[in-house]
Amino acid sequence: MEPLTVGVPRELKAEEHRVALTPDGVRELLHRGVEVLVERGAGVDSSIPDDDFARAGATLVDDAAELWARAGMVCKVKEPLEEEFAHFRDGLVLFTYLHLAAYPAVADALLAGGVTALAYETVEDAHRRLPLLAPMSEVAGRMSVQVGAHFLERHNGGRGVLLGGVPGVHPARVAVIGAGNVGWNAAWMAAGLQAEVHLLDKNADRLRYADQIQMGRIITLTSNRGMMERVIAEADLVIGAVLVPGGRAPTVVTEDMVRAMKPGTVIVDVAIDQGGCVETSHETTHTDPVFERHGVLHYAVGNMPGAVPNTSTHALTNSTLPYVADVAELGPAEACRRDRGLALGVNTAGGAVVNPAVAEALGREPVDVHDALGA
Protein backbone atom coordinates (compact mmCIF):
# COMPACT_ATOMS: atom_id res chain seq x y z
CA MET A 1 0.00 0.00 0.00
CA GLU A 2 0.99 3.62 -0.48
CA PRO A 3 2.10 5.36 2.72
CA LEU A 4 -0.52 7.51 4.43
CA THR A 5 -0.07 11.25 4.14
CA VAL A 6 0.42 12.65 7.65
CA GLY A 7 -1.34 15.89 8.57
CA VAL A 8 -0.43 18.03 11.58
CA PRO A 9 -3.12 20.63 12.40
CA ARG A 10 -2.89 23.53 14.78
CA GLU A 11 -4.25 22.61 18.22
CA LEU A 12 -7.60 24.23 19.05
CA LYS A 13 -7.96 23.37 22.73
CA ALA A 14 -7.75 26.47 24.90
CA GLU A 15 -4.18 27.21 25.97
CA GLU A 16 -2.77 24.15 24.26
CA HIS A 17 0.51 25.31 22.76
CA ARG A 18 2.15 22.03 21.76
CA VAL A 19 2.37 20.60 18.25
CA ALA A 20 2.38 16.93 17.31
CA LEU A 21 5.55 16.90 15.20
CA THR A 22 8.90 18.70 15.04
CA PRO A 23 10.88 19.55 11.90
CA ASP A 24 13.22 16.64 12.69
CA GLY A 25 10.16 14.42 12.76
CA VAL A 26 9.14 15.74 9.34
CA ARG A 27 12.56 14.89 7.92
CA GLU A 28 12.41 11.37 9.34
CA LEU A 29 8.96 10.72 7.86
CA LEU A 30 10.02 12.06 4.47
CA HIS A 31 13.04 9.75 4.60
CA ARG A 32 10.58 6.85 4.93
CA GLY A 33 8.51 8.03 1.99
CA VAL A 34 5.74 9.68 3.99
CA GLU A 35 4.39 13.06 2.83
CA VAL A 36 3.75 15.56 5.65
CA LEU A 37 1.25 18.44 5.72
CA VAL A 38 1.49 21.07 8.47
CA GLU A 39 -1.10 23.75 9.09
CA ARG A 40 0.45 27.21 9.12
CA GLY A 41 1.06 28.45 12.66
CA ALA A 42 0.84 24.97 14.18
CA GLY A 43 4.26 25.21 15.82
CA VAL A 44 4.51 28.91 16.58
CA ASP A 45 3.51 28.59 20.24
CA SER A 46 6.14 25.87 20.66
CA SER A 47 8.73 28.32 19.29
CA ILE A 48 8.89 26.38 16.01
CA PRO A 49 8.20 28.75 13.09
CA ASP A 50 6.61 27.71 9.81
CA ASP A 51 9.90 28.22 7.97
CA ASP A 52 11.52 25.45 10.04
CA PHE A 53 8.83 22.99 8.93
CA ALA A 54 9.13 24.14 5.32
CA ARG A 55 12.91 23.74 5.33
CA ALA A 56 12.46 20.22 6.70
CA GLY A 57 10.28 19.39 3.69
CA ALA A 58 6.72 19.73 5.02
CA THR A 59 3.97 21.17 2.84
CA LEU A 60 2.38 24.12 4.62
CA VAL A 61 -1.42 24.27 4.40
CA ASP A 62 -3.44 27.40 5.13
CA ASP A 63 -6.79 25.80 5.88
CA ALA A 64 -7.47 23.18 8.57
CA ALA A 65 -10.33 21.64 6.58
CA GLU A 66 -8.02 21.13 3.60
CA LEU A 67 -5.41 19.48 5.82
CA TRP A 68 -7.91 17.05 7.36
CA ALA A 69 -9.29 16.23 3.90
CA ARG A 70 -5.89 15.59 2.30
CA ALA A 71 -4.35 13.64 5.17
CA GLY A 72 -4.84 9.91 5.52
CA MET A 73 -3.53 10.14 9.06
CA VAL A 74 -3.85 13.15 11.37
CA CYS A 75 -1.47 13.54 14.29
CA LYS A 76 -2.50 15.79 17.14
CA VAL A 77 -1.62 16.38 20.77
CA LYS A 78 -5.00 16.67 22.52
CA GLU A 79 -8.40 15.13 21.89
CA PRO A 80 -10.34 16.68 19.00
CA LEU A 81 -12.87 19.36 19.88
CA GLU A 82 -16.46 19.45 18.67
CA GLU A 83 -15.63 21.81 15.80
CA GLU A 84 -13.20 19.18 14.49
CA PHE A 85 -15.78 16.37 14.48
CA ALA A 86 -16.98 17.54 11.05
CA HIS A 87 -13.63 16.44 9.60
CA PHE A 88 -14.13 12.82 10.66
CA ARG A 89 -14.65 10.30 7.86
CA ASP A 90 -14.57 6.58 7.33
CA GLY A 91 -11.00 5.30 7.04
CA LEU A 92 -9.32 8.35 8.56
CA VAL A 93 -6.56 7.48 11.03
CA LEU A 94 -6.19 9.75 14.07
CA PHE A 95 -3.23 9.50 16.47
CA THR A 96 -3.34 11.70 19.57
CA TYR A 97 -4.03 11.75 23.30
CA LEU A 98 -7.70 10.80 23.54
CA HIS A 99 -8.58 9.98 27.18
CA LEU A 100 -11.97 8.73 26.00
CA ALA A 101 -12.98 7.62 29.48
CA ALA A 102 -13.09 11.30 30.43
CA TYR A 103 -14.47 12.49 27.06
CA PRO A 104 -17.24 10.07 25.98
CA ALA A 105 -18.64 12.58 23.48
CA VAL A 106 -15.37 12.34 21.56
CA ALA A 107 -15.72 8.55 21.54
CA ASP A 108 -19.26 8.84 20.14
CA ALA A 109 -18.06 11.13 17.35
CA LEU A 110 -15.15 8.85 16.44
CA LEU A 111 -17.47 5.84 16.28
CA ALA A 112 -20.06 7.66 14.21
CA GLY A 113 -17.36 8.84 11.82
CA GLY A 114 -15.75 5.42 11.39
CA VAL A 115 -12.36 6.80 12.45
CA THR A 116 -9.48 4.51 13.32
CA ALA A 117 -8.33 6.33 16.45
CA LEU A 118 -5.09 5.50 18.23
CA ALA A 119 -4.44 6.97 21.66
CA TYR A 120 -0.93 7.75 22.81
CA GLU A 121 -1.91 6.92 26.38
CA THR A 122 -2.83 3.26 25.74
CA VAL A 123 0.12 2.19 23.56
CA GLU A 124 2.31 -0.26 25.48
CA ASP A 125 5.87 -1.49 25.04
CA ALA A 126 7.17 -5.03 25.52
CA HIS A 127 7.34 -4.49 29.29
CA ARG A 128 3.70 -3.31 29.59
CA ARG A 129 4.87 0.26 30.13
CA LEU A 130 3.25 3.30 28.49
CA PRO A 131 6.02 4.83 26.35
CA LEU A 132 3.93 7.61 24.81
CA LEU A 133 2.43 8.69 28.11
CA ALA A 134 5.79 8.62 29.90
CA PRO A 135 7.33 11.85 28.52
CA MET A 136 4.28 13.95 29.33
CA SER A 137 3.95 12.23 32.70
CA GLU A 138 7.53 13.24 33.41
CA VAL A 139 6.80 16.84 32.45
CA ALA A 140 3.55 16.95 34.44
CA GLY A 141 5.15 15.33 37.48
CA ARG A 142 7.98 17.83 37.57
CA MET A 143 5.65 20.73 36.83
CA SER A 144 3.30 19.71 39.66
CA VAL A 145 5.94 20.60 42.24
CA GLN A 146 6.77 23.87 40.52
CA VAL A 147 3.08 24.78 40.39
CA GLY A 148 2.46 23.66 43.97
CA ALA A 149 5.36 25.75 45.28
CA HIS A 150 3.97 28.77 43.43
CA PHE A 151 0.49 28.50 44.92
CA LEU A 152 1.81 27.85 48.41
CA GLU A 153 3.05 31.45 48.37
CA ARG A 154 0.77 33.68 50.43
CA HIS A 155 0.04 36.23 47.71
CA ASN A 156 -1.17 33.37 45.52
CA GLY A 157 -3.59 32.16 48.20
CA GLY A 158 -1.43 29.57 49.91
CA ARG A 159 -0.18 29.06 53.47
CA GLY A 160 2.99 31.03 52.83
CA VAL A 161 5.29 28.01 53.04
CA LEU A 162 8.67 27.74 51.31
CA LEU A 163 8.91 24.26 49.87
CA GLY A 164 12.43 23.54 51.07
CA GLY A 165 12.29 25.58 54.26
CA VAL A 166 15.53 27.11 55.59
CA PRO A 167 17.97 26.02 58.31
CA GLY A 168 16.08 25.82 61.59
CA VAL A 169 12.63 25.83 59.94
CA HIS A 170 10.70 22.71 58.94
CA PRO A 171 10.32 22.34 55.16
CA ALA A 172 6.97 21.86 53.46
CA ARG A 173 5.43 18.40 53.67
CA VAL A 174 4.60 17.03 50.23
CA ALA A 175 2.37 13.97 49.80
CA VAL A 176 2.57 12.29 46.39
CA ILE A 177 -0.22 9.78 45.76
CA GLY A 178 0.97 7.21 43.23
CA ALA A 179 4.51 6.11 42.39
CA GLY A 180 4.23 5.78 38.62
CA ASN A 181 5.95 8.11 36.16
CA VAL A 182 4.08 11.20 37.34
CA GLY A 183 4.49 10.44 41.03
CA TRP A 184 8.11 9.41 40.81
CA ASN A 185 9.07 12.59 38.94
CA ALA A 186 7.05 14.73 41.35
CA ALA A 187 8.65 13.11 44.38
CA TRP A 188 12.13 13.39 42.90
CA MET A 189 11.65 17.09 42.11
CA ALA A 190 10.20 17.86 45.54
CA ALA A 191 13.04 16.02 47.26
CA GLY A 192 15.53 17.95 45.14
CA LEU A 193 14.03 21.17 46.51
CA GLN A 194 14.56 19.77 50.03
CA ALA A 195 10.90 19.30 50.89
CA GLU A 196 9.82 16.47 53.20
CA VAL A 197 8.32 14.01 50.73
CA HIS A 198 5.94 11.12 51.37
CA LEU A 199 5.37 8.84 48.37
CA LEU A 200 2.36 6.51 48.63
CA ASP A 201 1.55 3.52 46.43
CA LYS A 202 0.08 0.03 46.73
CA ASN A 203 2.90 -1.44 44.65
CA ALA A 204 5.77 -2.42 46.95
CA ASP A 205 8.21 -2.81 44.05
CA ARG A 206 7.72 0.80 42.99
CA LEU A 207 8.30 1.94 46.56
CA ARG A 208 11.44 -0.19 46.83
CA TYR A 209 12.80 1.36 43.64
CA ALA A 210 12.19 4.89 44.91
CA ASP A 211 13.74 4.05 48.27
CA GLN A 212 16.86 2.53 46.70
CA ILE A 213 17.43 5.43 44.32
CA GLN A 214 16.75 8.20 46.83
CA MET A 215 18.39 6.43 49.79
CA GLY A 216 15.85 7.60 52.33
CA ARG A 217 15.37 11.17 51.05
CA ILE A 218 11.85 10.16 50.03
CA ILE A 219 9.67 8.49 52.67
CA THR A 220 7.87 5.59 50.99
CA LEU A 221 4.55 4.43 52.44
CA THR A 222 2.14 1.68 51.51
CA SER A 223 -1.13 3.28 50.51
CA ASN A 224 -4.28 2.46 52.46
CA ARG A 225 -7.14 4.58 53.67
CA GLY A 226 -5.79 5.16 57.19
CA MET A 227 -2.32 6.09 55.96
CA MET A 228 -3.80 8.40 53.32
CA GLU A 229 -5.93 10.21 55.89
CA ARG A 230 -2.97 10.83 58.20
CA VAL A 231 -0.49 11.90 55.54
CA ILE A 232 -2.90 14.18 53.68
CA ALA A 233 -4.04 15.90 56.88
CA GLU A 234 -0.42 16.84 57.65
CA ALA A 235 0.58 17.84 54.10
CA ASP A 236 1.15 21.33 52.74
CA LEU A 237 1.04 20.07 49.15
CA VAL A 238 -0.78 16.98 47.85
CA ILE A 239 -0.04 15.73 44.33
CA GLY A 240 -2.55 13.28 42.86
CA ALA A 241 -0.69 11.02 40.44
CA VAL A 242 -2.91 7.95 40.06
CA LEU A 243 -3.37 6.36 36.63
CA VAL A 244 -5.45 3.50 35.25
CA PRO A 245 -4.36 2.95 31.62
CA GLY A 246 -7.29 3.75 29.34
CA GLY A 247 -9.76 4.03 32.20
CA ARG A 248 -11.09 6.71 34.49
CA ALA A 249 -8.79 7.62 37.36
CA PRO A 250 -10.06 6.25 40.69
CA THR A 251 -11.05 8.70 43.41
CA VAL A 252 -8.46 8.16 46.13
CA VAL A 253 -8.62 11.52 47.93
CA THR A 254 -12.10 11.94 49.37
CA GLU A 255 -13.91 15.13 50.26
CA ASP A 256 -13.55 14.27 53.94
CA MET A 257 -9.77 14.07 53.50
CA VAL A 258 -9.78 17.48 51.81
CA ARG A 259 -11.93 18.90 54.58
CA ALA A 260 -9.34 17.73 57.13
CA MET A 261 -6.47 19.58 55.41
CA LYS A 262 -5.01 22.81 56.77
CA PRO A 263 -6.29 26.10 55.31
CA GLY A 264 -4.09 27.37 52.49
CA THR A 265 -2.73 23.96 51.52
CA VAL A 266 -2.58 23.03 47.83
CA ILE A 267 -3.76 20.03 45.81
CA VAL A 268 -2.43 19.42 42.31
CA ASP A 269 -4.62 16.78 40.63
CA VAL A 270 -2.47 15.61 37.72
CA ALA A 271 -4.98 12.86 36.93
CA ILE A 272 -7.70 15.37 36.00
CA ASP A 273 -7.45 14.60 32.26
CA GLN A 274 -8.69 11.12 33.14
CA GLY A 275 -11.43 12.38 35.44
CA GLY A 276 -9.30 13.27 38.48
CA CYS A 277 -8.32 11.30 41.57
CA VAL A 278 -9.54 13.93 44.06
CA GLU A 279 -13.25 13.97 44.83
CA THR A 280 -13.43 17.76 45.03
CA SER A 281 -11.59 18.40 41.74
CA HIS A 282 -12.93 19.72 38.48
CA GLU A 283 -10.90 20.63 35.40
CA THR A 284 -9.40 24.12 35.26
CA THR A 285 -7.36 26.08 32.70
CA HIS A 286 -3.99 27.79 32.58
CA THR A 287 -5.81 31.15 32.57
CA ASP A 288 -7.88 30.27 35.65
CA PRO A 289 -5.92 27.37 37.15
CA VAL A 290 -7.10 27.14 40.77
CA PHE A 291 -10.25 27.14 42.85
CA GLU A 292 -10.81 26.89 46.59
CA ARG A 293 -12.78 24.18 48.34
CA HIS A 294 -12.84 23.72 52.14
CA GLY A 295 -10.03 26.26 52.39
CA VAL A 296 -7.76 24.20 50.09
CA LEU A 297 -6.51 25.47 46.73
CA HIS A 298 -7.10 22.98 43.90
CA TYR A 299 -4.99 23.09 40.72
CA ALA A 300 -6.50 20.80 38.05
CA VAL A 301 -5.33 21.91 34.61
CA GLY A 302 -5.95 19.13 32.11
CA ASN A 303 -3.04 19.89 29.81
CA MET A 304 -0.26 20.83 32.22
CA PRO A 305 2.60 20.13 29.76
CA GLY A 306 1.02 22.68 27.41
CA ALA A 307 2.50 25.41 29.62
CA VAL A 308 6.01 24.41 28.56
CA PRO A 309 5.33 23.55 24.91
CA ASN A 310 8.85 23.72 23.54
CA THR A 311 10.09 21.13 26.02
CA SER A 312 6.91 19.07 25.78
CA THR A 313 6.74 19.00 21.99
CA HIS A 314 10.27 17.72 21.61
CA ALA A 315 9.82 15.16 24.40
CA LEU A 316 6.55 13.92 22.90
CA THR A 317 7.85 13.64 19.34
CA ASN A 318 10.94 11.76 20.48
CA SER A 319 8.59 9.02 21.71
CA THR A 320 5.75 9.10 19.18
CA LEU A 321 7.75 9.36 15.96
CA PRO A 322 8.65 5.66 15.53
CA TYR A 323 5.01 4.66 15.99
CA VAL A 324 3.71 7.41 13.70
CA ALA A 325 6.20 6.33 11.02
CA ASP A 326 5.18 2.67 11.27
CA VAL A 327 1.44 3.41 11.04
CA ALA A 328 1.91 5.83 8.14
CA GLU A 329 4.25 3.54 6.21
CA LEU A 330 2.55 0.19 6.83
CA GLY A 331 -1.05 1.20 7.54
CA PRO A 332 -2.72 0.61 10.92
CA ALA A 333 -3.71 -3.03 10.28
CA GLU A 334 -0.22 -4.23 9.36
CA ALA A 335 1.54 -2.03 11.93
CA CYS A 336 -0.70 -3.41 14.69
CA ARG A 337 -0.26 -6.97 13.44
CA ARG A 338 3.50 -6.56 13.89
CA ASP A 339 3.33 -4.74 17.24
CA ARG A 340 0.92 -5.95 19.92
CA GLY A 341 1.66 -2.89 22.08
CA LEU A 342 0.69 -0.56 19.26
CA ALA A 343 -2.51 -2.57 18.76
CA LEU A 344 -3.44 -1.71 22.34
CA GLY A 345 -3.22 1.93 21.29
CA VAL A 346 -6.18 1.52 18.94
CA ASN A 347 -9.26 2.78 20.79
CA THR A 348 -11.82 2.82 17.97
CA ALA A 349 -11.90 1.18 14.55
CA GLY A 350 -14.64 0.11 12.15
CA GLY A 351 -17.27 1.89 14.24
CA ALA A 352 -16.44 -0.10 17.39
CA VAL A 353 -14.45 0.37 20.59
CA VAL A 354 -11.57 -2.10 20.59
CA ASN A 355 -9.39 -1.36 23.61
CA PRO A 356 -10.85 -3.40 26.52
CA ALA A 357 -10.10 -0.84 29.26
CA VAL A 358 -11.59 1.99 27.22
CA ALA A 359 -14.64 -0.11 26.36
CA GLU A 360 -15.22 -0.90 30.02
CA ALA A 361 -14.93 2.77 30.98
CA LEU A 362 -17.45 3.70 28.27
CA GLY A 363 -19.83 0.86 29.09
CA ARG A 364 -19.41 -0.81 25.70
CA GLU A 365 -18.47 -4.29 24.53
CA PRO A 366 -14.99 -4.39 22.97
CA VAL A 367 -14.40 -5.81 19.50
CA ASP A 368 -11.19 -7.59 18.52
CA VAL A 369 -8.81 -4.97 17.19
CA HIS A 370 -7.67 -7.00 14.18
CA ASP A 371 -11.24 -7.82 13.19
CA ALA A 372 -12.16 -4.14 13.46
CA LEU A 373 -9.17 -3.00 11.43
CA GLY A 374 -9.99 -5.60 8.81
CA ALA A 375 -13.52 -4.23 8.62
Side-chain angles (χ1 to χ4, degrees), residues 101-144:
Y103 300 108
V106 177
D108 292 341
L110 292 169
L111 294 170
V115 177
T116 298
L118 295 92
Y120 296 149
E121 73 274 7
T122 61
V123 173
E124 294 186 5
D125 65 15
H127 303 287
R128 302 298 306 274
R129 295 174 302 203
L130 305 172
L132 308 189
L133 191 61
M136 296 304 94
S137 295
E138 290 163 354
V139 171
R142 296 182 183 206
M143 269 195 68
S144 67

Side-chain angles (χ1 to χ4, degrees), residues 8 20 43 113 118-120 138 145 180 194-195 215 225 251 255 300 328 344 374:
V8 180
L118 295 92
Y120 296 149
E138 290 163 354
V145 177
Q194 300 184 13
M215 300 177 66
R225 188 175 182 86
T251 299
E255 185 163 3
L344 290 170

Side-chain angles (χ1 to χ4, degrees), residues 319-373:
S319 298
T320 60
L321 183 58
Y323 295 95
V324 170
D326 283 347
V327 174
E329 188 176 15
L330 302 171
E334 178 61 18
C336 290
R337 187 188 67 79
R338 297 186 185 190
D339 186 342
R340 177 184 175 278
L342 177 61
L344 290 170
V346 182
N347 282 200
T348 69
V353 180
V354 298
N355 180 283
V358 174
E360 181 179 1
L362 295 173
R364 295 175 178 265
E365 284 296 318
V367 172
D368 179 79
V369 60
H370 302 292
D371 290 344
L373 289 173

